[in-house]
Amino acid sequence: MVMVLGLVFTVAQPMQTHAVSELDKVNQELKKLQQAMKSAEKKQRQAQATIKEAKADKERTAAEINDIMAKINNVNKEMMTTSQQIDQTEDKLRDAATQLEEATQRVESRSQLLDARLRLMYTNGFVSYLDVLLDSTSFSDFLDRVDMLKSVVGQDKDILADNKRDKALVIEKKKQVEQDLKEVKFLYVKMDQTKKELDSKEKQKEVMVASLTKQIEESEEISEDQEKQLMAFAKERARLIEKQKSFKSKYKGGKLGMPLKSPFRLSSGFGPRVHPVTGVKGKMHTGLDMAAPKGTPIYAAEAGIVIVAQSVSGYGNCVIINHGNGLWTLYGHIRDGGIKVDKGQEVKKGQKIAEVGSTGQSTGNHLHFEVRVNEVPKNPVGYLNL
Ligand SMILES: [Zn+2]
């Protein structure tokens, strides 16, 4: 049987060569187009993801810029305050310098006065002091005058000591103000540095925003480009489908190939089922039921184009092949995962297309095989070498 089928196939081949190769070409082009469309869609999705990411980045960066600008504002305010502190401290330092100068002068003049008195008393000035003493009217007056002179010198000494203490305090105070000034100035320098850092950070972020904006624009351009590509693909695909539809398959009549090549049992024939007891005619059976083990290979009965390759209610997993000239063959109850062809695919006579199963309205593993002419079911027996 297989040999005979092989012979039929070989004889039929030369007649079909031209048409089949043309159909193959159309199918290959379709497949290529589908792949190209898929890759174009993927690229577009990627571009859109890029845009989304870049937009989020841009928003984030803009928020960061706002943050930095707020920080710069704060630093500016702090710098103004610190600058005022510097001015105030410098004023204080100038005051302290004036005070120090005054204290120094006081010490100087008091010291000079004391020197003068002492010189007057103990050296050249002794005569004048003696004069003062000699002018005394009595001995007790003389003693009073001596005491008075001593006391004047003593007061001068005390005042000088006080002045020296004052001067030391002013020096201490000036030192403190100088330290304060140093600290405030250091603070200012630090703030200035912070501000410069923030400025440069802000500039960096602005550059980033600009580059993100550019990236978004470019990505959007790519998307438009790919959309155009997609439309071109779709148009080309529609054209090819039209070409495929108008293609005339080679069925010119004659026997079909057996859909099962291994042993099977005809479990139900074509036509209205008859009740086994009453003989009453029941529901019409539109095909042949061929019982065979699950997984038994199913072969295309004739060359053609697969028009259905999916689950159909009642039929379960189902394949329909269009052989041209209005002739279709149908294969039902295929096991899950047992469909081996795609919709739109061209198949050769005797090519494995599926495997026997029991999906849909079925109680056991079998192939439900139909032959239809212009969609009307015909008895397959007349088409098969049974
Ligand atoms: Zn059936």
Side-chain angles (χ1 to χ4, degrees), residues 61-95:
T61 310
E64 279 168 2
I65 287 177
N66 278 345
D67 242 38
I68 292 169
M69 276 164 77
K71 277 184 191 154
I72 290 174
N73 250 353
N74 280 342
V75 173
N76 273 339
K77 273 183 204 158
E78 279 173 34
M79 278 176 82
M80 256 159 75
T81 310
T82 309
S83 174
Q84 280 167 358
Q85 275 177 340
I86 289 173
D87 285 349
Q88 284 163 3
T89 312
E90 275 173 349
D91 282 349
K92 272 187 202 160
L93 189 62
R94 265 192 296 278
D95 282 354

PDB file of all heavy atoms in Angstrom, residues 61-95:
ATOM      1  N   THR A  61      15.764  63.708  37.524  1.00  0.00           N
ATOM      2  CA  THR A  61      16.869  64.666  37.464  1.00  0.00           C
ATOM      3  C   THR A  61      16.355  66.090  37.668  1.00  0.00           C
ATOM      4  O   THR A  61      16.980  66.893  38.365  1.00  0.00           O
ATOM      5  CB  THR A  61      17.617  64.538  36.123  1.00  0.00           C
ATOM      6  OG1 THR A  61      17.921  63.168  35.907  1.00  0.00           O
ATOM      7  CG2 THR A  61      18.905  65.330  36.154  1.00  0.00           C
ATOM      8  N   ALA A  62      15.192  66.393  37.082  1.00  0.00           N
ATOM      9  CA  ALA A  62      14.603  67.728  37.265  1.00  0.00           C
ATOM     10  C   ALA A  62      14.301  67.966  38.741  1.00  0.00           C
ATOM     11  O   ALA A  62      14.562  69.053  39.276  1.00  0.00           O
ATOM     12  CB  ALA A  62      13.343  67.853  36.427  1.00  0.00           C
ATOM     13  N   ALA A  63      13.787  66.943  39.406  1.00  0.00           N
ATOM     14  CA  ALA A  63      13.501  67.046  40.846  1.00  0.00           C
ATOM     15  C   ALA A  63      14.803  67.274  41.618  1.00  0.00           C
ATOM     16  O   ALA A  63      14.858  68.087  42.553  1.00  0.00           O
ATOM     17  CB  ALA A  63      12.807  65.780  41.336  1.00  0.00           C
ATOM     18  N   GLU A  64      15.853  66.570  41.191  1.00  0.00           N
ATOM     19  CA  GLU A  64      17.159  66.732  41.838  1.00  0.00           C
ATOM     20  C   GLU A  64      17.682  68.160  41.658  1.00  0.00           C
ATOM     21  O   GLU A  64      18.249  68.749  42.571  1.00  0.00           O
ATOM     22  CB  GLU A  64      18.158  65.722  41.266  1.00  0.00           C
ATOM     23  CG  GLU A  64      18.014  64.346  41.888  1.00  0.00           C
ATOM     24  CD  GLU A  64      18.794  63.275  41.146  1.00  0.00           C
ATOM     25  OE1 GLU A  64      19.490  63.606  40.156  1.00  0.00           O
ATOM     26  OE2 GLU A  64      18.682  62.120  41.547  1.00  0.00           O
ATOM     27  N   ILE A  65      17.467  68.704  40.460  1.00  0.00           N
ATOM     28  CA  ILE A  65      17.895  70.084  40.197  1.00  0.00           C
ATOM     29  C   ILE A  65      17.169  71.042  41.139  1.00  0.00           C
ATOM     30  O   ILE A  65      17.785  71.929  41.748  1.00  0.00           O
ATOM     31  CB  ILE A  65      17.647  70.460  38.708  1.00  0.00           C
ATOM     32  CG1 ILE A  65      18.664  69.737  37.824  1.00  0.00           C
ATOM     33  CG2 ILE A  65      17.769  71.969  38.507  1.00  0.00           C
ATOM     34  CD1 ILE A  65      18.466  69.985  36.348  1.00  0.00           C
ATOM     35  N   ASN A  66      15.859  70.844  41.289  1.00  0.00           N
ATOM     36  CA  ASN A  66      15.089  71.681  42.215  1.00  0.00           C
ATOM     37  C   ASN A  66      15.667  71.609  43.627  1.00  0.00           C
ATOM     38  O   ASN A  66      15.791  72.623  44.309  1.00  0.00           O
ATOM     39  CB  ASN A  66      13.627  71.236  42.241  1.00  0.00           C
ATOM     40  CG  ASN A  66      12.858  71.820  41.075  1.00  0.00           C
ATOM     41  OD1 ASN A  66      13.332  72.755  40.421  1.00  0.00           O
ATOM     42  ND2 ASN A  66      11.695  71.275  40.802  1.00  0.00           N
ATOM     43  N   ASP A  67      15.994  70.395  44.029  1.00  0.00           N
ATOM     44  CA  ASP A  67      16.600  70.156  45.342  1.00  0.00           C
ATOM     45  C   ASP A  67      17.886  70.951  45.492  1.00  0.00           C
ATOM     46  O   ASP A  67      18.102  71.655  46.476  1.00  0.00           O
ATOM     47  CB  ASP A  67      16.947  68.662  45.435  1.00  0.00           C
ATOM     48  CG  ASP A  67      16.200  67.991  46.556  1.00  0.00           C
ATOM     49  OD1 ASP A  67      15.020  68.361  46.750  1.00  0.00           O
ATOM     50  OD2 ASP A  67      16.796  67.121  47.216  1.00  0.00           O
ATOM     51  N   ILE A  68      18.749  70.812  44.489  1.00  0.00           N
ATOM     52  CA  ILE A  68      20.058  71.471  44.520  1.00  0.00           C
ATOM     53  C   ILE A  68      19.873  72.980  44.559  1.00  0.00           C
ATOM     54  O   ILE A  68      20.551  73.687  45.322  1.00  0.00           O
ATOM     55  CB  ILE A  68      20.906  71.051  43.298  1.00  0.00           C
ATOM     56  CG1 ILE A  68      21.273  69.573  43.418  1.00  0.00           C
ATOM     57  CG2 ILE A  68      22.173  71.899  43.191  1.00  0.00           C
ATOM     58  CD1 ILE A  68      21.864  68.988  42.157  1.00  0.00           C
ATOM     59  N   MET A  69      18.898  73.483  43.753  1.00  0.00           N
ATOM     60  CA  MET A  69      18.680  74.923  43.731  1.00  0.00           C
ATOM     61  C   MET A  69      18.199  75.431  45.101  1.00  0.00           C
ATOM     62  O   MET A  69      18.611  76.508  45.549  1.00  0.00           O
ATOM     63  CB  MET A  69      17.698  75.291  42.620  1.00  0.00           C
ATOM     64  CG  MET A  69      18.439  75.432  41.287  1.00  0.00           C
ATOM     65  SD  MET A  69      17.364  75.409  39.871  1.00  0.00           S
ATOM     66  CE  MET A  69      16.699  77.051  39.960  1.00  0.00           C
ATOM     67  N   ALA A  70      17.371  74.635  45.763  1.00  0.00           N
ATOM     68  CA  ALA A  70      16.926  74.996  47.121  1.00  0.00           C
ATOM     69  C   ALA A  70      18.125  75.050  48.064  1.00  0.00           C
ATOM     70  O   ALA A  70      18.257  75.971  48.884  1.00  0.00           O
ATOM     71  CB  ALA A  70      15.901  73.984  47.619  1.00  0.00           C
ATOM     72  N   LYS A  71      19.018  74.064  47.905  1.00  0.00           N
ATOM     73  CA  LYS A  71      20.228  74.029  48.742  1.00  0.00           C
ATOM     74  C   LYS A  71      21.088  75.264  48.474  1.00  0.00           C
ATOM     75  O   LYS A  71      21.629  75.873  49.403  1.00  0.00           O
ATOM     76  CB  LYS A  71      21.020  72.752  48.462  1.00  0.00           C
ATOM     77  CG  LYS A  71      20.502  71.558  49.237  1.00  0.00           C
ATOM     78  CD  LYS A  71      21.386  70.344  49.007  1.00  0.00           C
ATOM     79  CE  LYS A  71      20.705  69.099  49.555  1.00  0.00           C
ATOM     80  NZ  LYS A  71      21.147  67.890  48.871  1.00  0.00           N
ATOM     81  N   ILE A  72      21.245  75.617  47.197  1.00  0.00           N
ATOM     82  CA  ILE A  72      22.047  76.791  46.831  1.00  0.00           C
ATOM     83  C   ILE A  72      21.450  78.045  47.476  1.00  0.00           C
ATOM     84  O   ILE A  72      22.175  78.878  48.043  1.00  0.00           O
ATOM     85  CB  ILE A  72      22.128  76.949  45.289  1.00  0.00           C
ATOM     86  CG1 ILE A  72      23.004  75.828  44.712  1.00  0.00           C
ATOM     87  CG2 ILE A  72      22.703  78.312  44.892  1.00  0.00           C
ATOM     88  CD1 ILE A  72      23.042  75.777  43.197  1.00  0.00           C
ATOM     89  N   ASN A  73      20.136  78.146  47.421  1.00  0.00           N
ATOM     90  CA  ASN A  73      19.449  79.266  48.068  1.00  0.00           C
ATOM     91  C   ASN A  73      19.788  79.360  49.546  1.00  0.00           C
ATOM     92  O   ASN A  73      20.108  80.437  50.057  1.00  0.00           O
ATOM     93  CB  ASN A  73      17.929  79.065  47.930  1.00  0.00           C
ATOM     94  CG  ASN A  73      17.331  80.079  46.981  1.00  0.00           C
ATOM     95  OD1 ASN A  73      18.027  81.000  46.538  1.00  0.00           O
ATOM     96  ND2 ASN A  73      16.069  79.911  46.678  1.00  0.00           N
ATOM     97  N   ASN A  74      19.698  78.203  50.210  1.00  0.00           N
ATOM     98  CA  ASN A  74      20.012  78.161  51.646  1.00  0.00           C
ATOM     99  C   ASN A  74      21.438  78.599  51.923  1.00  0.00           C
ATOM    100  O   ASN A  74      21.687  79.404  52.816  1.00  0.00           O
ATOM    101  CB  ASN A  74      19.798  76.749  52.197  1.00  0.00           C
ATOM    102  CG  ASN A  74      18.335  76.473  52.475  1.00  0.00           C
ATOM    103  OD1 ASN A  74      17.543  77.413  52.579  1.00  0.00           O
ATOM    104  ND2 ASN A  74      17.973  75.221  52.582  1.00  0.00           N
ATOM    105  N   VAL A  75      22.354  78.048  51.137  1.00  0.00           N
ATOM    106  CA  VAL A  75      23.765  78.389  51.331  1.00  0.00           C
ATOM    107  C   VAL A  75      23.967  79.887  51.111  1.00  0.00           C
ATOM    108  O   VAL A  75      24.701  80.544  51.860  1.00  0.00           O
ATOM    109  CB  VAL A  75      24.667  77.544  50.400  1.00  0.00           C
ATOM    110  CG1 VAL A  75      26.102  78.020  50.465  1.00  0.00           C
ATOM    111  CG2 VAL A  75      24.597  76.085  50.780  1.00  0.00           C
ATOM    112  N   ASN A  76      23.302  80.420  50.081  1.00  0.00           N
ATOM    113  CA  ASN A  76      23.408  81.863  49.818  1.00  0.00           C
ATOM    114  C   ASN A  76      22.963  82.680  51.031  1.00  0.00           C
ATOM    115  O   ASN A  76      23.633  83.641  51.412  1.00  0.00           O
ATOM    116  CB  ASN A  76      22.555  82.233  48.608  1.00  0.00           C
ATOM    117  CG  ASN A  76      23.335  82.069  47.316  1.00  0.00           C
ATOM    118  OD1 ASN A  76      24.575  82.070  47.331  1.00  0.00           O
ATOM    119  ND2 ASN A  76      22.637  81.912  46.213  1.00  0.00           N
ATOM    120  N   LYS A  77      21.828  82.271  51.622  1.00  0.00           N
ATOM    121  CA  LYS A  77      21.319  82.974  52.804  1.00  0.00           C
ATOM    122  C   LYS A  77      22.320  82.880  53.948  1.00  0.00           C
ATOM    123  O   LYS A  77      22.632  83.890  54.600  1.00  0.00           O
ATOM    124  CB  LYS A  77      19.981  82.347  53.250  1.00  0.00           C
ATOM    125  CG  LYS A  77      18.788  82.953  52.520  1.00  0.00           C
ATOM    126  CD  LYS A  77      17.508  82.331  53.062  1.00  0.00           C
ATOM    127  CE  LYS A  77      16.384  82.409  52.036  1.00  0.00           C
ATOM    128  NZ  LYS A  77      15.345  81.416  52.287  1.00  0.00           N
ATOM    129  N   GLU A  78      22.817  81.656  54.181  1.00  0.00           N
ATOM    130  CA  GLU A  78      23.796  81.447  55.257  1.00  0.00           C
ATOM    131  C   GLU A  78      25.038  82.285  55.020  1.00  0.00           C
ATOM    132  O   GLU A  78      25.604  82.864  55.948  1.00  0.00           O
ATOM    133  CB  GLU A  78      24.171  79.965  55.338  1.00  0.00           C
ATOM    134  CG  GLU A  78      23.157  79.141  56.104  1.00  0.00           C
ATOM    135  CD  GLU A  78      23.450  77.657  56.043  1.00  0.00           C
ATOM    136  OE1 GLU A  78      24.643  77.281  56.010  1.00  0.00           O
ATOM    137  OE2 GLU A  78      22.482  76.879  55.994  1.00  0.00           O
ATOM    138  N   MET A  79      25.442  82.362  53.748  1.00  0.00           N
ATOM    139  CA  MET A  79      26.643  83.138  53.431  1.00  0.00           C
ATOM    140  C   MET A  79      26.422  84.629  53.718  1.00  0.00           C
ATOM    141  O   MET A  79      27.334  85.315  54.191  1.00  0.00           O
ATOM    142  CB  MET A  79      27.047  82.925  51.973  1.00  0.00           C
ATOM    143  CG  MET A  79      27.835  81.647  51.799  1.00  0.00           C
ATOM    144  SD  MET A  79      28.209  81.319  50.092  1.00  0.00           S
ATOM    145  CE  MET A  79      29.645  82.351  49.882  1.00  0.00           C
ATOM    146  N   MET A  80      25.193  85.094  53.430  1.00  0.00           N
ATOM    147  CA  MET A  80      24.888  86.500  53.716  1.00  0.00           C
ATOM    148  C   MET A  80      24.986  86.764  55.215  1.00  0.00           C
ATOM    149  O   MET A  80      25.594  87.757  55.652  1.00  0.00           O
ATOM    150  CB  MET A  80      23.494  86.858  53.184  1.00  0.00           C
ATOM    151  CG  MET A  80      23.563  87.680  51.904  1.00  0.00           C
ATOM    152  SD  MET A  80      22.034  87.575  50.974  1.00  0.00           S
ATOM    153  CE  MET A  80      20.998  88.636  51.963  1.00  0.00           C
ATOM    154  N   THR A  81      24.389  85.869  56.009  1.00  0.00           N
ATOM    155  CA  THR A  81      24.450  85.997  57.471  1.00  0.00           C
ATOM    156  C   THR A  81      25.897  85.986  57.943  1.00  0.00           C
ATOM    157  O   THR A  81      26.315  86.828  58.752  1.00  0.00           O
ATOM    158  CB  THR A  81      23.678  84.831  58.133  1.00  0.00           C
ATOM    159  OG1 THR A  81      22.411  84.741  57.522  1.00  0.00           O
ATOM    160  CG2 THR A  81      23.533  85.051  59.627  1.00  0.00           C
ATOM    161  N   THR A  82      26.662  85.031  57.430  1.00  0.00           N
ATOM    162  CA  THR A  82      28.060  84.903  57.838  1.00  0.00           C
ATOM    163  C   THR A  82      28.857  86.138  57.431  1.00  0.00           C
ATOM    164  O   THR A  82      29.710  86.617  58.186  1.00  0.00           O
ATOM    165  CB  THR A  82      28.675  83.631  57.216  1.00  0.00           C
ATOM    166  OG1 THR A  82      27.823  82.532  57.491  1.00  0.00           O
ATOM    167  CG2 THR A  82      30.054  83.361  57.775  1.00  0.00           C
ATOM    168  N   SER A  83      28.550  86.644  56.250  1.00  0.00           N
ATOM    169  CA  SER A  83      29.230  87.852  55.781  1.00  0.00           C
ATOM    170  C   SER A  83      28.966  89.018  56.757  1.00  0.00           C
ATOM    171  O   SER A  83      29.880  89.789  57.087  1.00  0.00           O
ATOM    172  CB  SER A  83      28.729  88.167  54.386  1.00  0.00           C
ATOM    173  OG  SER A  83      29.263  89.390  53.963  1.00  0.00           O
ATOM    174  N   GLN A  84      27.704  89.123  57.218  1.00  0.00           N
ATOM    175  CA  GLN A  84      27.359  90.153  58.213  1.00  0.00           C
ATOM    176  C   GLN A  84      28.140  89.932  59.499  1.00  0.00           C
ATOM    177  O   GLN A  84      28.653  90.873  60.106  1.00  0.00           O
ATOM    178  CB  GLN A  84      25.855  90.131  58.506  1.00  0.00           C
ATOM    179  CG  GLN A  84      25.039  90.857  57.436  1.00  0.00           C
ATOM    180  CD  GLN A  84      23.555  90.572  57.567  1.00  0.00           C
ATOM    181  OE1 GLN A  84      23.135  89.805  58.439  1.00  0.00           O
ATOM    182  NE2 GLN A  84      22.767  91.194  56.708  1.00  0.00           N
ATOM    183  N   GLN A  85      28.247  88.661  59.897  1.00  0.00           N
ATOM    184  CA  GLN A  85      29.011  88.334  61.112  1.00  0.00           C
ATOM    185  C   GLN A  85      30.465  88.769  60.960  1.00  0.00           C
ATOM    186  O   GLN A  85      31.074  89.289  61.894  1.00  0.00           O
ATOM    187  CB  GLN A  85      28.951  86.829  61.380  1.00  0.00           C
ATOM    188  CG  GLN A  85      27.708  86.419  62.162  1.00  0.00           C
ATOM    189  CD  GLN A  85      27.637  84.914  62.339  1.00  0.00           C
ATOM    190  OE1 GLN A  85      28.277  84.159  61.612  1.00  0.00           O
ATOM    191  NE2 GLN A  85      26.855  84.496  63.314  1.00  0.00           N
ATOM    192  N   ILE A  86      30.996  88.543  59.766  1.00  0.00           N
ATOM    193  CA  ILE A  86      32.388  88.939  59.512  1.00  0.00           C
ATOM    194  C   ILE A  86      32.527  90.460  59.678  1.00  0.00           C
ATOM    195  O   ILE A  86      33.444  90.945  60.367  1.00  0.00           O
ATOM    196  CB  ILE A  86      32.835  88.498  58.101  1.00  0.00           C
ATOM    197  CG1 ILE A  86      32.988  86.975  58.062  1.00  0.00           C
ATOM    198  CG2 ILE A  86      34.162  89.162  57.711  1.00  0.00           C
ATOM    199  CD1 ILE A  86      33.265  86.408  56.687  1.00  0.00           C
ATOM    200  N   ASP A  87      31.586  91.203  59.067  1.00  0.00           N
ATOM    201  CA  ASP A  87      31.616  92.668  59.187  1.00  0.00           C
ATOM    202  C   ASP A  87      31.587  93.100  60.653  1.00  0.00           C
ATOM    203  O   ASP A  87      32.391  93.935  61.085  1.00  0.00           O
ATOM    204  CB  ASP A  87      30.419  93.289  58.453  1.00  0.00           C
ATOM    205  CG  ASP A  87      30.622  93.259  56.946  1.00  0.00           C
ATOM    206  OD1 ASP A  87      31.764  92.946  56.508  1.00  0.00           O
ATOM    207  OD2 ASP A  87      29.649  93.514  56.214  1.00  0.00           O
ATOM    208  N   GLN A  88      30.623  92.482  61.401  1.00  0.00           N
ATOM    209  CA  GLN A  88      30.484  92.828  62.822  1.00  0.00           C
ATOM    210  C   GLN A  88      31.764  92.503  63.592  1.00  0.00           C
ATOM    211  O   GLN A  88      32.234  93.299  64.412  1.00  0.00           O
ATOM    212  CB  GLN A  88      29.303  92.072  63.450  1.00  0.00           C
ATOM    213  CG  GLN A  88      27.949  92.659  63.051  1.00  0.00           C
ATOM    214  CD  GLN A  88      26.808  91.687  63.317  1.00  0.00           C
ATOM    215  OE1 GLN A  88      27.027  90.595  63.852  1.00  0.00           O
ATOM    216  NE2 GLN A  88      25.603  92.092  62.928  1.00  0.00           N
ATOM    217  N   THR A  89      32.321  91.348  63.328  1.00  0.00           N
ATOM    218  CA  THR A  89      33.531  90.934  64.043  1.00  0.00           C
ATOM    219  C   THR A  89      34.702  91.844  63.698  1.00  0.00           C
ATOM    220  O   THR A  89      35.513  92.197  64.559  1.00  0.00           O
ATOM    221  CB  THR A  89      33.857  89.464  63.704  1.00  0.00           C
ATOM    222  OG1 THR A  89      32.679  88.688  63.844  1.00  0.00           O
ATOM    223  CG2 THR A  89      34.920  88.915  64.641  1.00  0.00           C
ATOM    224  N   GLU A  90      34.754  92.243  62.419  1.00  0.00           N
ATOM    225  CA  GLU A  90      35.822  93.164  62.004  1.00  0.00           C
ATOM    226  C   GLU A  90      35.669  94.515  62.722  1.00  0.00           C
ATOM    227  O   GLU A  90      36.665  95.113  63.152  1.00  0.00           O
ATOM    228  CB  GLU A  90      35.814  93.339  60.487  1.00  0.00           C
ATOM    229  CG  GLU A  90      36.603  92.245  59.798  1.00  0.00           C
ATOM    230  CD  GLU A  90      36.503  92.262  58.276  1.00  0.00           C
ATOM    231  OE1 GLU A  90      35.642  92.996  57.737  1.00  0.00           O
ATOM    232  OE2 GLU A  90      37.283  91.536  57.636  1.00  0.00           O
ATOM    233  N   ASP A  91      34.398  94.972  62.878  1.00  0.00           N
ATOM    234  CA  ASP A  91      34.142  96.207  63.641  1.00  0.00           C
ATOM    235  C   ASP A  91      34.655  96.053  65.069  1.00  0.00           C
ATOM    236  O   ASP A  91      35.327  96.938  65.598  1.00  0.00           O
ATOM    237  CB  ASP A  91      32.633  96.505  63.677  1.00  0.00           C
ATOM    238  CG  ASP A  91      32.168  97.119  62.355  1.00  0.00           C
ATOM    239  OD1 ASP A  91      33.050  97.488  61.541  1.00  0.00           O
ATOM    240  OD2 ASP A  91      30.943  97.206  62.151  1.00  0.00           O
ATOM    241  N   LYS A  92      34.297  94.884  65.648  1.00  0.00           N
ATOM    242  CA  LYS A  92      34.727  94.618  67.028  1.00  0.00           C
ATOM    243  C   LYS A  92      36.248  94.640  67.131  1.00  0.00           C
ATOM    244  O   LYS A  92      36.815  95.155  68.079  1.00  0.00           O
ATOM    245  CB  LYS A  92      34.220  93.229  67.476  1.00  0.00           C
ATOM    246  CG  LYS A  92      32.829  93.263  68.081  1.00  0.00           C
ATOM    247  CD  LYS A  92      32.501  91.889  68.655  1.00  0.00           C
ATOM    248  CE  LYS A  92      31.000  91.702  68.764  1.00  0.00           C
ATOM    249  NZ  LYS A  92      30.664  90.273  68.859  1.00  0.00           N
ATOM    250  N   LEU A  93      36.881  94.063  66.125  1.00  0.00           N
ATOM    251  CA  LEU A  93      38.347  94.008  66.140  1.00  0.00           C
ATOM    252  C   LEU A  93      38.940  95.418  66.053  1.00  0.00           C
ATOM    253  O   LEU A  93      39.913  95.749  66.749  1.00  0.00           O
ATOM    254  CB  LEU A  93      38.825  93.147  64.961  1.00  0.00           C
ATOM    255  CG  LEU A  93      40.321  92.816  64.951  1.00  0.00           C
ATOM    256  CD1 LEU A  93      40.709  92.009  66.183  1.00  0.00           C
ATOM    257  CD2 LEU A  93      40.696  92.038  63.699  1.00  0.00           C
ATOM    258  N   ARG A  94      38.320  96.245  65.196  1.00  0.00           N
ATOM    259  CA  ARG A  94      38.786  97.631  65.087  1.00  0.00           C
ATOM    260  C   ARG A  94      38.622  98.347  66.435  1.00  0.00           C
ATOM    261  O   ARG A  94      39.526  99.049  66.899  1.00  0.00           O
ATOM    262  CB  ARG A  94      38.009  98.376  63.996  1.00  0.00           C
ATOM    263  CG  ARG A  94      38.721  98.381  62.643  1.00  0.00           C
ATOM    264  CD  ARG A  94      38.087  99.362  61.682  1.00  0.00           C
ATOM    265  NE  ARG A  94      36.702  98.986  61.344  1.00  0.00           N
ATOM    266  CZ  ARG A  94      36.398  98.076  60.424  1.00  0.00           C
ATOM    267  NH1 ARG A  94      37.361  97.457  59.752  1.00  0.00           N
ATOM    268  NH2 ARG A  94      35.148  97.768  60.175  1.00  0.00           N
ATOM    269  N   ASP A  95      37.456  98.157  67.092  1.00  0.00           N
ATOM    270  CA  ASP A  95      37.219  98.729  68.432  1.00  0.00           C
ATOM    271  C   ASP A  95      38.307  98.283  69.397  1.00  0.00           C
ATOM    272  O   ASP A  95      38.875  99.101  70.142  1.00  0.00           O
ATOM    273  CB  ASP A  95      35.860  98.273  68.986  1.00  0.00           C
ATOM    274  CG  ASP A  95      34.716  99.060  68.362  1.00  0.00           C
ATOM    275  OD1 ASP A  95      35.008 100.026  67.606  1.00  0.00           O
ATOM    276  OD2 ASP A  95      33.547  98.689  68.602  1.00  0.00           O
TER     277      ASP A  95
END
